[in-house]
Amino acid sequence: MGKASFFLGQVGKGAEMKLVVNMVMGAMMTAFGEGLELGKKAGLDQQQILEVRLAPFLLGIHPSP
C-alpha cells in the first residue's frame, strides 16, 4: 500500500480517482505490451528492450520535461 495520502473532497471522490488511475494504468500496460510486440517483430531482443526501457526507472534517472 502506498504511503501518500490525498484529500480529494467529498465522499466518493477517492473511488472516482481510483477508476481514473486504473484506466490510465491499464492503457499504459496495453501500450507497453504493444511496444514489446513491435520490437519483437522488428527483430529486437525483448530482454534488451526491457533493459533499455526500464533502466531509467531502476536507476532513478528520469528524463527532463
Side-chain angles (χ1 to χ4, degrees):
M1 193 159 201
K3 295 179 182 179
S5 178
F6 300 94
F7 178 75
L8 301 174
Q10 300 174 339
V11 172
K13 292 297 178 188
E16 291 172 351
M17 181 63 77
K18 183 172 175 57
L19 290 172
V20 170
V21 170
N22 286 349
M23 187 207 67
V24 170
M25 294 301 293
M28 289 173 56
M29 288 172 48
T30 300
F32 189 75
E34 293 288 339
L36 286 176
E37 186 61 24
L38 178 64
K40 181 179 173 183
K41 287 183 178 181
L44 298 171
D45 179 66
Q46 288 200 323
Q47 185 60 40
Q48 286 182 324
I49 294 171
L50 291 173
E51 289 172 6
V52 169
R53 181 59 201 118
L54 296 178
F57 295 104
L58 297 175
L59 299 174
I61 303 167
H62 302 288
S64 299

Short mmCIF file of all heavy atoms in Angstrom, two decimals:
data_model
loop_
_atom_site.label_atom_id
_atom_site.label_comp_id
_atom_site.label_asym_id
_atom_site.label_seq_id
_atom_site.Cartn_x
_atom_site.Cartn_y
_atom_site.Cartn_z
N MET A 1 0.83 -1.16 0.00
CA MET A 1 0.00 0.00 0.00
C MET A 1 0.89 1.24 0.00
O MET A 1 1.91 1.29 0.65
CB MET A 1 -0.89 -0.03 1.23
CG MET A 1 -2.00 0.94 1.20
SD MET A 1 -3.23 0.34 2.36
CE MET A 1 -4.63 1.17 1.77
N GLY A 2 0.45 2.25 -0.74
CA GLY A 2 1.24 3.47 -0.85
C GLY A 2 1.27 4.27 0.43
O GLY A 2 0.43 4.13 1.30
N LYS A 3 2.27 5.12 0.55
CA LYS A 3 2.42 5.95 1.74
C LYS A 3 1.75 7.31 1.59
O LYS A 3 1.45 7.96 2.57
CB LYS A 3 3.90 6.15 2.04
CG LYS A 3 4.61 4.87 2.40
CD LYS A 3 6.07 5.12 2.66
CE LYS A 3 6.77 3.81 2.99
NZ LYS A 3 8.19 3.99 3.24
N ALA A 4 1.51 7.73 0.35
CA ALA A 4 0.93 9.05 0.11
C ALA A 4 -0.56 9.06 0.44
O ALA A 4 -1.26 8.06 0.27
CB ALA A 4 1.13 9.47 -1.34
N SER A 5 -1.02 10.19 0.90
CA SER A 5 -2.43 10.37 1.23
C SER A 5 -2.91 11.67 0.61
O SER A 5 -2.22 12.69 0.68
CB SER A 5 -2.60 10.42 2.75
OG SER A 5 -3.94 10.64 3.09
N PHE A 6 -4.07 11.64 -0.03
CA PHE A 6 -4.59 12.81 -0.72
C PHE A 6 -6.02 13.06 -0.28
O PHE A 6 -6.82 12.15 -0.19
CB PHE A 6 -4.58 12.60 -2.24
CG PHE A 6 -3.21 12.34 -2.79
CD1 PHE A 6 -2.76 11.04 -2.97
CD2 PHE A 6 -2.39 13.39 -3.14
CE1 PHE A 6 -1.51 10.80 -3.49
CE2 PHE A 6 -1.13 13.16 -3.66
CZ PHE A 6 -0.68 11.86 -3.83
N PHE A 7 -6.33 14.32 -0.03
CA PHE A 7 -7.71 14.70 0.26
C PHE A 7 -8.32 15.17 -1.06
O PHE A 7 -7.85 16.10 -1.69
CB PHE A 7 -7.78 15.83 1.30
CG PHE A 7 -9.18 16.27 1.57
CD1 PHE A 7 -10.03 15.48 2.33
CD2 PHE A 7 -9.67 17.45 1.04
CE1 PHE A 7 -11.33 15.87 2.56
CE2 PHE A 7 -10.97 17.86 1.27
CZ PHE A 7 -11.81 17.07 2.04
N LEU A 8 -9.39 14.50 -1.49
CA LEU A 8 -9.99 14.79 -2.78
C LEU A 8 -11.35 15.45 -2.68
O LEU A 8 -12.02 15.67 -3.69
CB LEU A 8 -10.10 13.50 -3.61
CG LEU A 8 -8.76 12.80 -3.87
CD1 LEU A 8 -8.98 11.47 -4.55
CD2 LEU A 8 -7.85 13.69 -4.69
N GLY A 9 -11.79 15.75 -1.47
CA GLY A 9 -13.06 16.44 -1.32
C GLY A 9 -14.16 15.53 -0.81
O GLY A 9 -13.96 14.75 0.11
N GLN A 10 -15.31 15.63 -1.44
CA GLN A 10 -16.50 14.92 -0.99
C GLN A 10 -16.31 13.39 -0.98
O GLN A 10 -15.47 12.85 -1.68
CB GLN A 10 -17.68 15.26 -1.90
CG GLN A 10 -18.03 16.72 -1.92
CD GLN A 10 -19.10 17.00 -2.97
OE1 GLN A 10 -19.31 16.24 -3.89
NE2 GLN A 10 -19.78 18.13 -2.80
N VAL A 11 -17.18 12.75 -0.20
CA VAL A 11 -17.21 11.30 -0.15
C VAL A 11 -17.44 10.76 -1.56
O VAL A 11 -18.28 11.27 -2.30
CB VAL A 11 -18.33 10.81 0.80
CG1 VAL A 11 -18.50 9.31 0.71
CG2 VAL A 11 -18.03 11.23 2.23
N GLY A 12 -16.67 9.76 -1.94
CA GLY A 12 -16.82 9.14 -3.26
C GLY A 12 -15.79 9.60 -4.27
O GLY A 12 -15.57 8.95 -5.29
N LYS A 13 -15.14 10.74 -4.00
CA LYS A 13 -14.14 11.25 -4.93
C LYS A 13 -12.91 10.34 -4.99
O LYS A 13 -12.27 10.22 -6.03
CB LYS A 13 -13.72 12.67 -4.58
CG LYS A 13 -14.82 13.69 -4.79
CD LYS A 13 -15.22 13.75 -6.25
CE LYS A 13 -16.35 14.74 -6.47
NZ LYS A 13 -16.87 14.67 -7.83
N GLY A 14 -12.60 9.67 -3.88
CA GLY A 14 -11.48 8.74 -3.87
C GLY A 14 -11.74 7.56 -4.79
O GLY A 14 -10.85 7.13 -5.53
N ALA A 15 -12.97 7.04 -4.78
CA ALA A 15 -13.32 5.93 -5.66
C ALA A 15 -13.27 6.37 -7.13
O ALA A 15 -12.82 5.61 -7.99
CB ALA A 15 -14.72 5.42 -5.32
N GLU A 16 -13.73 7.61 -7.38
CA GLU A 16 -13.67 8.11 -8.76
C GLU A 16 -12.23 8.25 -9.22
O GLU A 16 -11.89 7.92 -10.37
CB GLU A 16 -14.40 9.45 -8.86
CG GLU A 16 -15.91 9.31 -8.69
CD GLU A 16 -16.64 10.63 -8.60
OE1 GLU A 16 -15.97 11.69 -8.50
OE2 GLU A 16 -17.88 10.61 -8.64
N MET A 17 -11.36 8.75 -8.34
CA MET A 17 -9.95 8.89 -8.69
C MET A 17 -9.33 7.52 -8.95
O MET A 17 -8.53 7.36 -9.87
CB MET A 17 -9.19 9.61 -7.57
CG MET A 17 -7.72 9.82 -7.88
SD MET A 17 -7.42 10.87 -9.31
CE MET A 17 -7.74 12.47 -8.59
N LYS A 18 -9.71 6.54 -8.15
CA LYS A 18 -9.18 5.19 -8.34
C LYS A 18 -9.55 4.65 -9.72
O LYS A 18 -8.74 4.02 -10.41
CB LYS A 18 -9.69 4.24 -7.26
CG LYS A 18 -9.13 2.83 -7.36
CD LYS A 18 -9.52 2.01 -6.16
CE LYS A 18 -9.09 0.57 -6.27
NZ LYS A 18 -7.67 0.38 -6.47
N LEU A 19 -10.77 4.90 -10.17
CA LEU A 19 -11.19 4.49 -11.51
C LEU A 19 -10.34 5.16 -12.58
O LEU A 19 -9.93 4.52 -13.56
CB LEU A 19 -12.67 4.81 -11.73
CG LEU A 19 -13.66 3.96 -10.95
CD1 LEU A 19 -15.07 4.52 -11.13
CD2 LEU A 19 -13.60 2.51 -11.38
N VAL A 20 -10.08 6.45 -12.40
CA VAL A 20 -9.26 7.18 -13.38
C VAL A 20 -7.84 6.61 -13.42
O VAL A 20 -7.30 6.33 -14.50
CB VAL A 20 -9.23 8.69 -13.03
CG1 VAL A 20 -8.19 9.43 -13.87
CG2 VAL A 20 -10.61 9.30 -13.23
N VAL A 21 -7.24 6.42 -12.26
CA VAL A 21 -5.87 5.90 -12.20
C VAL A 21 -5.81 4.49 -12.78
O VAL A 21 -4.88 4.17 -13.55
CB VAL A 21 -5.34 5.92 -10.74
CG1 VAL A 21 -4.03 5.17 -10.62
CG2 VAL A 21 -5.19 7.36 -10.28
N ASN A 22 -6.78 3.65 -12.46
CA ASN A 22 -6.80 2.29 -13.02
C ASN A 22 -6.91 2.31 -14.53
O ASN A 22 -6.27 1.51 -15.22
CB ASN A 22 -7.93 1.47 -12.41
CG ASN A 22 -7.65 1.06 -10.98
OD1 ASN A 22 -6.53 1.19 -10.50
ND2 ASN A 22 -8.67 0.58 -10.30
N MET A 23 -7.73 3.22 -15.08
CA MET A 23 -7.87 3.31 -16.52
C MET A 23 -6.55 3.73 -17.18
O MET A 23 -6.12 3.15 -18.17
CB MET A 23 -8.97 4.30 -16.90
CG MET A 23 -9.26 4.29 -18.39
SD MET A 23 -9.90 5.84 -19.03
CE MET A 23 -8.52 6.91 -18.86
N VAL A 24 -5.89 4.72 -16.59
CA VAL A 24 -4.62 5.20 -17.14
C VAL A 24 -3.58 4.09 -17.07
O VAL A 24 -2.84 3.85 -18.04
CB VAL A 24 -4.15 6.47 -16.39
CG1 VAL A 24 -2.72 6.84 -16.77
CG2 VAL A 24 -5.09 7.63 -16.68
N MET A 25 -3.50 3.40 -15.95
CA MET A 25 -2.52 2.32 -15.81
C MET A 25 -2.80 1.19 -16.80
O MET A 25 -1.87 0.62 -17.38
CB MET A 25 -2.51 1.78 -14.37
CG MET A 25 -2.02 2.79 -13.35
SD MET A 25 -0.34 3.37 -13.66
CE MET A 25 0.58 1.88 -13.35
N GLY A 26 -4.07 0.88 -17.01
CA GLY A 26 -4.42 -0.16 -17.98
C GLY A 26 -4.00 0.23 -19.39
O GLY A 26 -3.47 -0.59 -20.14
N ALA A 27 -4.20 1.49 -19.75
CA ALA A 27 -3.79 1.97 -21.06
C ALA A 27 -2.27 1.93 -21.21
O ALA A 27 -1.74 1.56 -22.27
CB ALA A 27 -4.30 3.39 -21.28
N MET A 28 -1.55 2.26 -20.14
CA MET A 28 -0.09 2.21 -20.18
C MET A 28 0.41 0.78 -20.35
O MET A 28 1.35 0.53 -21.10
CB MET A 28 0.50 2.85 -18.92
CG MET A 28 0.33 4.35 -18.88
SD MET A 28 0.83 5.13 -17.31
CE MET A 28 2.51 4.59 -17.13
N MET A 29 -0.23 -0.15 -19.66
CA MET A 29 0.17 -1.55 -19.77
C MET A 29 -0.08 -2.07 -21.19
O MET A 29 0.75 -2.81 -21.74
CB MET A 29 -0.58 -2.41 -18.75
CG MET A 29 -0.12 -2.18 -17.33
SD MET A 29 -1.11 -3.00 -16.07
CE MET A 29 -1.26 -4.65 -16.67
N THR A 30 -1.20 -1.67 -21.78
CA THR A 30 -1.51 -2.07 -23.15
C THR A 30 -0.47 -1.52 -24.11
O THR A 30 0.04 -2.24 -24.98
CB THR A 30 -2.92 -1.60 -23.54
OG1 THR A 30 -3.86 -2.19 -22.64
CG2 THR A 30 -3.26 -1.98 -24.96
N ALA A 31 -0.15 -0.23 -23.98
CA ALA A 31 0.84 0.40 -24.85
C ALA A 31 2.21 -0.26 -24.68
O ALA A 31 2.94 -0.46 -25.67
CB ALA A 31 0.93 1.89 -24.56
N PHE A 32 2.57 -0.60 -23.46
CA PHE A 32 3.86 -1.25 -23.21
C PHE A 32 3.92 -2.60 -23.91
O PHE A 32 4.91 -2.94 -24.57
CB PHE A 32 4.07 -1.43 -21.70
CG PHE A 32 5.45 -1.88 -21.33
CD1 PHE A 32 6.51 -1.00 -21.39
CD2 PHE A 32 5.68 -3.18 -20.93
CE1 PHE A 32 7.79 -1.41 -21.04
CE2 PHE A 32 6.96 -3.60 -20.57
CZ PHE A 32 8.02 -2.71 -20.64
N GLY A 33 2.84 -3.38 -23.80
CA GLY A 33 2.78 -4.68 -24.48
C GLY A 33 2.85 -4.53 -25.99
O GLY A 33 3.53 -5.32 -26.67
N GLU A 34 2.17 -3.52 -26.53
CA GLU A 34 2.22 -3.27 -27.98
C GLU A 34 3.64 -2.90 -28.40
O GLU A 34 4.10 -3.32 -29.46
CB GLU A 34 1.25 -2.16 -28.35
CG GLU A 34 -0.21 -2.52 -28.18
CD GLU A 34 -0.73 -3.50 -29.22
OE1 GLU A 34 -0.11 -3.62 -30.31
OE2 GLU A 34 -1.74 -4.15 -28.95
N GLY A 35 4.31 -2.11 -27.58
CA GLY A 35 5.69 -1.74 -27.89
C GLY A 35 6.62 -2.94 -27.90
O GLY A 35 7.49 -3.07 -28.77
N LEU A 36 6.45 -3.84 -26.93
CA LEU A 36 7.25 -5.06 -26.91
C LEU A 36 7.01 -5.90 -28.15
O LEU A 36 7.96 -6.44 -28.75
CB LEU A 36 6.93 -5.89 -25.66
CG LEU A 36 7.47 -5.38 -24.34
CD1 LEU A 36 6.98 -6.26 -23.19
CD2 LEU A 36 8.99 -5.36 -24.36
N GLU A 37 5.77 -6.01 -28.57
CA GLU A 37 5.44 -6.80 -29.76
C GLU A 37 6.03 -6.15 -31.01
O GLU A 37 6.55 -6.84 -31.89
CB GLU A 37 3.92 -6.96 -29.91
CG GLU A 37 3.51 -7.86 -31.02
CD GLU A 37 4.00 -9.30 -30.90
OE1 GLU A 37 4.28 -9.75 -29.77
OE2 GLU A 37 4.09 -9.97 -31.94
N LEU A 38 5.97 -4.83 -31.10
CA LEU A 38 6.56 -4.12 -32.23
C LEU A 38 8.06 -4.38 -32.30
O LEU A 38 8.61 -4.66 -33.36
CB LEU A 38 6.28 -2.62 -32.12
CG LEU A 38 6.89 -1.74 -33.22
CD1 LEU A 38 6.30 -2.08 -34.58
CD2 LEU A 38 6.66 -0.28 -32.88
N GLY A 39 8.72 -4.29 -31.15
CA GLY A 39 10.15 -4.57 -31.10
C GLY A 39 10.48 -5.99 -31.51
O GLY A 39 11.44 -6.23 -32.24
N LYS A 40 9.66 -6.93 -31.05
CA LYS A 40 9.85 -8.35 -31.41
C LYS A 40 9.74 -8.53 -32.91
O LYS A 40 10.57 -9.20 -33.54
CB LYS A 40 8.81 -9.19 -30.68
CG LYS A 40 8.90 -10.68 -30.94
CD LYS A 40 7.82 -11.41 -30.15
CE LYS A 40 7.76 -12.87 -30.50
NZ LYS A 40 6.68 -13.54 -29.78
N LYS A 41 8.71 -7.92 -33.52
CA LYS A 41 8.52 -8.04 -34.96
C LYS A 41 9.63 -7.33 -35.74
O LYS A 41 9.91 -7.69 -36.88
CB LYS A 41 7.16 -7.49 -35.36
CG LYS A 41 6.03 -8.40 -34.95
CD LYS A 41 4.68 -7.90 -35.40
CE LYS A 41 3.60 -8.90 -34.99
NZ LYS A 41 2.27 -8.47 -35.42
N ALA A 42 10.27 -6.35 -35.12
CA ALA A 42 11.38 -5.64 -35.76
C ALA A 42 12.69 -6.40 -35.59
O ALA A 42 13.73 -5.98 -36.08
CB ALA A 42 11.51 -4.23 -35.18
N GLY A 43 12.65 -7.50 -34.84
CA GLY A 43 13.84 -8.31 -34.65
C GLY A 43 14.70 -7.92 -33.47
O GLY A 43 15.84 -8.36 -33.36
N LEU A 44 14.17 -7.08 -32.61
CA LEU A 44 14.93 -6.67 -31.42
C LEU A 44 14.78 -7.71 -30.31
O LEU A 44 13.74 -8.35 -30.19
CB LEU A 44 14.43 -5.31 -30.93
CG LEU A 44 14.59 -4.15 -31.91
CD1 LEU A 44 13.88 -2.92 -31.39
CD2 LEU A 44 16.06 -3.85 -32.15
N ASP A 45 15.81 -7.83 -29.51
CA ASP A 45 15.79 -8.76 -28.38
C ASP A 45 14.90 -8.18 -27.27
O ASP A 45 15.12 -7.04 -26.84
CB ASP A 45 17.21 -8.95 -27.87
CG ASP A 45 17.27 -9.87 -26.68
OD1 ASP A 45 16.95 -11.07 -26.82
OD2 ASP A 45 17.61 -9.37 -25.58
N GLN A 46 13.92 -8.95 -26.84
CA GLN A 46 12.98 -8.44 -25.84
C GLN A 46 13.65 -8.12 -24.51
O GLN A 46 13.25 -7.18 -23.83
CB GLN A 46 11.82 -9.40 -25.66
CG GLN A 46 10.90 -9.38 -26.86
CD GLN A 46 9.53 -9.92 -26.56
OE1 GLN A 46 9.38 -10.86 -25.80
NE2 GLN A 46 8.52 -9.31 -27.16
N GLN A 47 14.65 -8.88 -24.14
CA GLN A 47 15.35 -8.59 -22.89
C GLN A 47 16.05 -7.23 -22.97
O GLN A 47 16.02 -6.45 -22.03
CB GLN A 47 16.37 -9.70 -22.56
CG GLN A 47 17.04 -9.52 -21.21
CD GLN A 47 16.04 -9.52 -20.06
OE1 GLN A 47 15.09 -10.29 -20.05
NE2 GLN A 47 16.26 -8.65 -19.10
N GLN A 48 16.64 -6.94 -24.14
CA GLN A 48 17.28 -5.64 -24.31
C GLN A 48 16.26 -4.51 -24.31
O GLN A 48 16.53 -3.43 -23.78
CB GLN A 48 18.10 -5.61 -25.60
CG GLN A 48 19.38 -6.41 -25.49
CD GLN A 48 20.20 -6.31 -26.75
OE1 GLN A 48 19.67 -6.28 -27.85
NE2 GLN A 48 21.51 -6.27 -26.58
N ILE A 49 15.10 -4.75 -24.91
CA ILE A 49 14.04 -3.73 -24.89
C ILE A 49 13.68 -3.41 -23.45
O ILE A 49 13.57 -2.24 -23.06
CB ILE A 49 12.78 -4.21 -25.65
CG1 ILE A 49 13.08 -4.36 -27.13
CG2 ILE A 49 11.62 -3.25 -25.44
CD1 ILE A 49 11.96 -5.04 -27.92
N LEU A 50 13.51 -4.44 -22.64
CA LEU A 50 13.16 -4.23 -21.23
C LEU A 50 14.26 -3.49 -20.49
O LEU A 50 13.98 -2.58 -19.70
CB LEU A 50 12.86 -5.56 -20.55
CG LEU A 50 11.59 -6.27 -21.00
CD1 LEU A 50 11.49 -7.64 -20.38
CD2 LEU A 50 10.37 -5.44 -20.66
N GLU A 51 15.50 -3.87 -20.74
CA GLU A 51 16.62 -3.21 -20.07
C GLU A 51 16.70 -1.73 -20.44
O GLU A 51 16.88 -0.87 -19.57
CB GLU A 51 17.93 -3.91 -20.40
CG GLU A 51 18.06 -5.28 -19.76
CD GLU A 51 19.28 -6.05 -20.25
OE1 GLU A 51 20.10 -5.48 -21.01
OE2 GLU A 51 19.40 -7.23 -19.89
N VAL A 52 16.55 -1.43 -21.73
CA VAL A 52 16.63 -0.04 -22.18
C VAL A 52 15.45 0.75 -21.64
O VAL A 52 15.60 1.89 -21.19
CB VAL A 52 16.66 0.01 -23.73
CG1 VAL A 52 16.45 1.43 -24.23
CG2 VAL A 52 17.97 -0.57 -24.24
N ARG A 53 14.27 0.16 -21.65
CA ARG A 53 13.06 0.87 -21.22
C ARG A 53 13.00 1.05 -19.71
O ARG A 53 12.56 2.07 -19.22
CB ARG A 53 11.82 0.10 -21.70
CG ARG A 53 10.52 0.74 -21.34
CD ARG A 53 10.44 2.15 -21.95
NE ARG A 53 9.47 2.94 -21.22
CZ ARG A 53 9.73 4.04 -20.56
NH1 ARG A 53 10.94 4.52 -20.50
NH2 ARG A 53 8.79 4.70 -19.94
N LEU A 54 13.43 0.03 -18.97
CA LEU A 54 13.30 0.08 -17.51
C LEU A 54 14.52 0.67 -16.81
O LEU A 54 14.41 1.06 -15.65
CB LEU A 54 13.02 -1.32 -16.97
CG LEU A 54 11.71 -1.95 -17.42
CD1 LEU A 54 11.58 -3.36 -16.86
CD2 LEU A 54 10.52 -1.11 -17.00
N ALA A 55 15.64 0.77 -17.48
CA ALA A 55 16.86 1.25 -16.84
C ALA A 55 16.68 2.60 -16.16
O ALA A 55 17.10 2.77 -15.01
CB ALA A 55 18.01 1.30 -17.85
N PRO A 56 16.05 3.59 -16.82
CA PRO A 56 15.91 4.89 -16.13
C PRO A 56 15.13 4.79 -14.83
O PRO A 56 15.46 5.45 -13.85
CB PRO A 56 15.14 5.74 -17.15
CG PRO A 56 15.42 5.11 -18.47
CD PRO A 56 15.56 3.65 -18.18
N PHE A 57 14.10 3.95 -14.80
CA PHE A 57 13.29 3.82 -13.59
C PHE A 57 14.03 3.06 -12.50
O PHE A 57 13.96 3.40 -11.34
CB PHE A 57 11.97 3.13 -13.91
CG PHE A 57 11.11 3.95 -14.82
CD1 PHE A 57 10.99 3.63 -16.15
CD2 PHE A 57 10.43 5.06 -14.35
CE1 PHE A 57 10.22 4.41 -17.00
CE2 PHE A 57 9.66 5.84 -15.17
CZ PHE A 57 9.55 5.52 -16.52
N LEU A 58 14.76 2.04 -12.90
CA LEU A 58 15.50 1.25 -11.92
C LEU A 58 16.68 2.03 -11.34
O LEU A 58 17.04 1.84 -10.20
CB LEU A 58 16.00 -0.05 -12.56
CG LEU A 58 14.90 -1.00 -13.03
CD1 LEU A 58 15.53 -2.20 -13.74
CD2 LEU A 58 14.04 -1.47 -11.87
N LEU A 59 17.25 2.92 -12.15
CA LEU A 59 18.40 3.70 -11.70
C LEU A 59 18.00 5.05 -11.12
O LEU A 59 18.85 5.81 -10.67
CB LEU A 59 19.38 3.92 -12.86
CG LEU A 59 19.97 2.64 -13.46
CD1 LEU A 59 20.80 2.98 -14.70
CD2 LEU A 59 20.83 1.91 -12.43
N GLY A 60 16.71 5.36 -11.17
CA GLY A 60 16.24 6.63 -10.63
C GLY A 60 16.55 7.80 -11.53
O GLY A 60 16.59 8.94 -11.09
N ILE A 61 16.78 7.53 -12.82
CA ILE A 61 17.07 8.59 -13.78
C ILE A 61 15.79 8.88 -14.55
O ILE A 61 15.23 8.00 -15.18
CB ILE A 61 18.17 8.16 -14.76
CG1 ILE A 61 19.43 7.77 -14.01
CG2 ILE A 61 18.45 9.25 -15.79
CD1 ILE A 61 20.45 7.05 -14.85
N HIS A 62 15.33 10.11 -14.49
CA HIS A 62 14.11 10.48 -15.20
C HIS A 62 14.43 11.57 -16.20
O HIS A 62 15.14 12.52 -15.88
CB HIS A 62 13.03 10.94 -14.21
CG HIS A 62 12.70 9.89 -13.21
ND1 HIS A 62 12.01 8.75 -13.52
CD2 HIS A 62 13.03 9.79 -11.90
CE1 HIS A 62 11.88 8.01 -12.43
NE2 HIS A 62 12.50 8.62 -11.43
N PRO A 63 13.91 11.43 -17.43
CA PRO A 63 14.18 12.45 -18.44
C PRO A 63 13.64 13.81 -18.04
O PRO A 63 12.64 13.91 -17.36
CB PRO A 63 13.48 11.93 -19.69
CG PRO A 63 12.53 10.87 -19.23
CD PRO A 63 13.01 10.40 -17.89
N SER A 64 14.32 14.84 -18.50
CA SER A 64 13.87 16.21 -18.23
C SER A 64 12.62 16.51 -19.05
O SER A 64 12.50 16.04 -20.17
CB SER A 64 14.97 17.21 -18.59
OG SER A 64 16.10 16.96 -17.82
N PRO A 65 11.71 17.31 -18.51
CA PRO A 65 10.49 17.66 -19.28
C PRO A 65 10.80 18.57 -20.45
O PRO A 65 11.73 19.21 -20.56
CB PRO A 65 9.61 18.36 -18.26
CG PRO A 65 10.45 18.67 -17.08
CD PRO A 65 11.71 17.87 -17.20
#
